[in-house]
Amino acid sequence: MSDLTVNEALEQWIMQSIPIDIPKDQAKYVFCLMLAYPLAFLFSLLPNSPALKHTIGLSIGVWFGYFIMGSEILHSAFSATCVYAIMRFGPSRQAHKLAVAFAILYMSAG
């Protein structure tokens, strides 16, 4: 019995199933893109509960992001949280400029 995580086992299965030689990150992206369509259909069958739909949508989105990017998703989460905080709590006439400046500086520093 191997000690693979679910993500590692899924990565191996995807790479073995693809008949052409493409980079692993692109294969994972296409896999998630194709998985999103049947999940969207199942999502439409959920009861009309905003809390339920937000929870399921967030869970699937975070898993897709983690599966594709790994721990690098933390950069996206940090950047989005900071920009949200700037827009929410910053001065209303300057918040958009501060958010763009932060995003550019963060991307430049990374």
Side-chain angles (χ1 to χ4, degrees):
M1 176 146 172
S2 70
D3 294 329
L4 293 176
T5 65
V6 173
N7 282 353
E8 291 169 340
L10 191 55
E11 283 178 15
Q12 283 187 355
W13 178 79
I14 290 168
M15 294 310 293
Q16 291 170 354
S17 301
I18 298 175
I20 57 175
D21 187 29
I22 62 173
K24 184 169 38 171
D25 60 335
Q26 292 177 12
K28 292 191 302 185
Y29 180 79
V30 170
F31 173 77
C32 287
L33 184 65
M34 293 298 130
L35 183 60
Y37 286 100
L39 287 176
F41 173 72
L42 295 175
F43 191 81
S44 71
L45 300 176
L46 290 173
N48 195 15
S49 166
L52 175 67
K53 287 189 173 189
H54 286 134
T55 302
I56 291 175
L58 178 66
S59 301
I60 291 171
V62 168
W63 183 81
F64 275 2
Y66 183 75
F67 180 67
I68 294 170
M69 296 186 283
S71 63
E72 298 297 318
I73 193 173
L74 295 176
H75 289 288
S76 295
F78 175 75
S79 178
T81 302
C82 289
V83 168
Y84 175 80
I86 291 169
M87 294 299 292
R88 177 73 173 93
F89 303 112
S92 60
R93 294 200 179 264
Q94 302 297 324
H96 63 287
K97 294 175 186 174
L98 294 172
V100 169
F102 168 78
I104 290 172
L105 289 172
Y106 185 76
M107 287 187 290
S108 298

